[in-house]
Amino acid sequence: MTKSRLYQALSRVTDIHPGEEIIALLLFLYFFFITTPLTILKPLRDAVFLEYLKSENLPYAYATAILVGFVVAFHSKLQVKISRRLLIISSLILFISTGILFFFLFYSFPQIRKGLSLALWIWVNILTAVLVTQFWITVNDVFNPREAKRMIGFFVSGGILGGISGGLLTGIISKSNTPYGLLLLSAGFLILCVLIVNLVFFRKKKIPIQSKETKGLSEKVGFRDCFFTVAKDHYLRLLASVVAITAVVSTFIDWQYKHIIERSQSVNTNMASFFGFFSAGILILPFFLQLLFTGKLIKRFGIRITLLFFPLILLLCSLGIAIWPVLIFAIFIKGSDKSLSYSINQSSRELLYIPVFPDIKYKAKIFIDMFLSRFAKSIGAILLLALFGMLSLIGVNFDDPGSTKITVIAVSLLSAFLLLIWIFLNLQVTREYISTVKQNIKLKWGRADRTVDEKLDIDYTKLVFDTLESKNRSSVLYALHVFDLLQQEKLTPELKKIIAQKSDEVKLSALGDLFDAEGAAWVPGIEDELDEENLKTDISDIMSMEAYQQVMNLHAEQVMEKSKEAETEKMELAKVISLMNSDSPLVEKLEDLIYDDSSEVSRYAIESAAKLKKKELIPAIIHKLSNPLTKEDAITGLLKYGEAATDILKKYLEDSEKNLEQRKAIVIILSRLCSQSATDVLTTELDKNREDISTEIIDALDRIHSEKPTIHIKIKIIRQTILYLIKKYYKIFLEYNEQKSGRRSDETKESLKISLGISLMNIFKLLGFTYPYEDIVIAYQNIKTGTKHSVAYAIELLDNTMKKDDRDLILPIIEDIPLHDREKLFCQLLKNFPKK
């Protein structure tokens, strides 16, 4: 893909991918052209209010924020009837025209400026609420969490740059004693913003944007819908609480700052100019912080830690101003509030909205950002008035300089208390953030082997099928199977009807002579009522008789001397041995029967050996693991030995000279045993990094962990193996992309590609031991088979789940990074790869 000059320029300052440069630049300019007039108007608003109404009336001004609620209700009704683009442009045109009207009124009617100052305050608050919220809704529409994290620092820096520009223009123009001309200047910037918005929506049509989810945005909603959407959702309630308490604290800080400024003789002569230069000055640092570091801070520390920076710094400042309530500290706390609010806090908080489903998100932002944040300022105003009232009751005089310090200190202490609540809520909302991200991705499949084990009794099913199959082979074999069902108490009335159905002619073998006619006659009539307990007792007595043992031993010698034509008789012999005691001399015949060339004979012999649990027969059964025809029967037989077979299985597994298929089958057996000793054996072998069976061992451990997560495993070995596999992945990837000229054969390339897939799968299976298992499984499945949308949320889940060291190594593998950049990053990581 050809990289444009714009991409090359922007990629130097932000983490941007080819094709994203135009929309990112447009959003940068969009935010610039709304924050510039905002920063022009806010100093004018503050200066005019303090000039005509004084700081003691500020709480009443803050309380007027409730009027924004009515605007929000009207705005929500409008968005039902008109498109997003038309709504935004209409809002801009309305603010342009009303701004010009304010300019005319201030110049033409000086006698009403006292009332106009309050109206201007309300108008600027409405403008801020509407335009900024509309901008962030547009951002949320365009980007998924991963894209937003990469680029949010860039286009938000456009807003900060607009704040710097607006502040400087305000400071310079206000010096000429014509501050009301700022209204016309802000209107000019909003006219330019109309052009940018048109370009944003034109470009938005050309890029893929979560089309499936955004369809819900056309749903007809009103203010009540917005309120109940937030009220019913725990995550949104937490987010609303954070926004509300942020607004209350910001109101307290704003009052402290303006109150001290008003009392300061050095700045109250031209407050509009001071407020303008101050706004510009405090945004210079956040501009570079936002442009160069915010995205990196969020990526490095995650949303949880980044969101704590703002309240913690304000907490220190509040305690500081409580100790030293002077102009310098007032400027510092207001500067911290404004600079961090526009940079780190704003960016991090907006990211919290991204995992919310678009239709819900739009309703939530209308209520939280456009109404609640303003309503909370009214709450802050009420708290300030209540505090002032309490202080006046104890004799504090607002006009007395000494009493003023007491008031400032009281407000600072109240702010500190609220900031502690803010920190607690931030921790809660970021914890819920991960749960909300998971709602965007779903588990696509479970372990097939586990599903089969849970839903099917394989041993019982196999016995039933063997019983049915034996009807056409031998009446004795059939009788032995039925007796086996009786012993296991699985011969249900329904099963009796099934196996008693008429079938082909049943053959009578030589072993049938050993049963008397009466004993064999019950088999065809199995559908009749039987005295099952007496029958089991009678057959057991016959089997234990010494005379019967001698006859059977002689018969066994004759059968073993025969060749393949005695297959059925050998099967009968193997089956009948399972009904005898483990110390019977006939048990010695099982080893030869297991090694028999007939897979059917081997199968019956393995079943008998497993039933009798003769440990000396385990090596013979292990031998049969390499034969595809007897592999599953051998696995099933060894599983019936349980823990008794673990030591012998361990010796075979450790011996790399043994047959590979046998060793792989042993890994399967240990995984199905699902015991602590089996886990220890597998973990020890995993630590040896044997390429021939490592994938099987990892899968076996994954199976055990999915079934019994409480089983202890040596995490140190898991961690070491994860590092080994990540390093291996890097090397295979570089090797795979090393030769693009075709010198490598297609088979080699395909082999390397398969190795990459296996390595990634194994990495994630092992991550399931160190992080929540379900989260890792869901993330992996969506990364492998999900849409771009679900892949982004899967990576976001991992980003907020894994520790930093793991994120730094694993995210480069799965992030959407240009090939050349990924190769370069892998080479760098290999050079500094952590040691085990």
Side-chain angles (χ1 to χ4, degrees), residues 259 263 396-409:
H259 178 72
R263 294 292 192 272
V396 175
N397 185 357
F398 193 81
D399 294 323
D400 179 58
S403 297
T404 296
K405 288 186 178 181
I406 295 175
T407 305
V408 173
I409 291 171

Side-chain angles (χ1 to χ4, degrees), residues 421-488:
I421 299 175
W422 183 358
I423 291 169
F424 172 76
L425 289 173
N426 270 351
L427 293 172
Q428 293 298 310
V429 76
T430 49
R431 186 177 293 113
E432 283 295 315
Y433 171 78
I434 299 175
S435 300
T436 307
V437 168
K438 285 195 285 187
Q439 292 176 9
N440 286 269
I441 52 178
K442 300 186 181 301
L443 186 69
K444 295 180 178 292
W445 65 83
R447 286 193 62 102
D449 48 10
R450 183 178 177 183
T451 303
V452 171
D453 289 347
E454 290 175 350
K455 297 184 179 296
L456 185 64
D457 186 339
I458 296 177
D459 289 341
Y460 174 60
T461 304
K462 186 172 176 293
L463 181 55
V464 171
F465 276 96
D466 284 347
T467 304
L468 294 171
E469 191 274 337
S470 65
K471 291 179 71 175
N472 295 325
R473 182 184 288 271
S474 161
S475 61
V476 173
L477 201 57
Y478 171 50
L480 291 170
H481 276 109
V482 173
F483 181 65
D484 205 354
L485 286 167
L486 278 173
Q487 280 192 316
Q488 298 182 40

Side-chain angles (χ1 to χ4, degrees), residues 561-589:
E561 291 176 0
K562 295 180 180 179
S563 56
K564 288 186 178 180
E565 66 269 11
E567 181 184 52
T568 301
E569 295 176 63
K570 290 181 180 180
M571 291 165 63
E572 294 169 348
L573 178 61
K575 185 69 178 178
V576 80
I577 291 174
S578 69
L579 303 177
M580 297 183 176
N581 295 326
S582 59
D583 57 354
S584 171
L586 280 173
V587 176
E588 298 177 2
K589 306 295 182 183

Side-chain angles (χ1 to χ4, degrees), residues 41-56:
L41 292 169
K42 284 182 177 180
L44 175 64
R45 175 201 66 181
D46 296 344
V48 170
F49 188 92
L50 292 175
E51 180 181 352
Y52 290 103
L53 294 172
K54 307 303 179 183
S55 64
E56 56 262 33

Side-chain angles (χ1 to χ4, degrees), residues 773-799:
Y773 181 79
E774 183 180 349
D775 292 354
I776 297 298
V777 172
I778 291 175
Y780 173 74
Q781 291 180 1
N782 281 272
I783 288 169
K784 291 297 292 181
T785 62
T787 62
K788 181 181 178 182
H789 175 71
S790 60
V791 168
Y793 281 104
I795 297 174
E796 181 67 10
L797 174 60
L798 293 174
D799 196 5

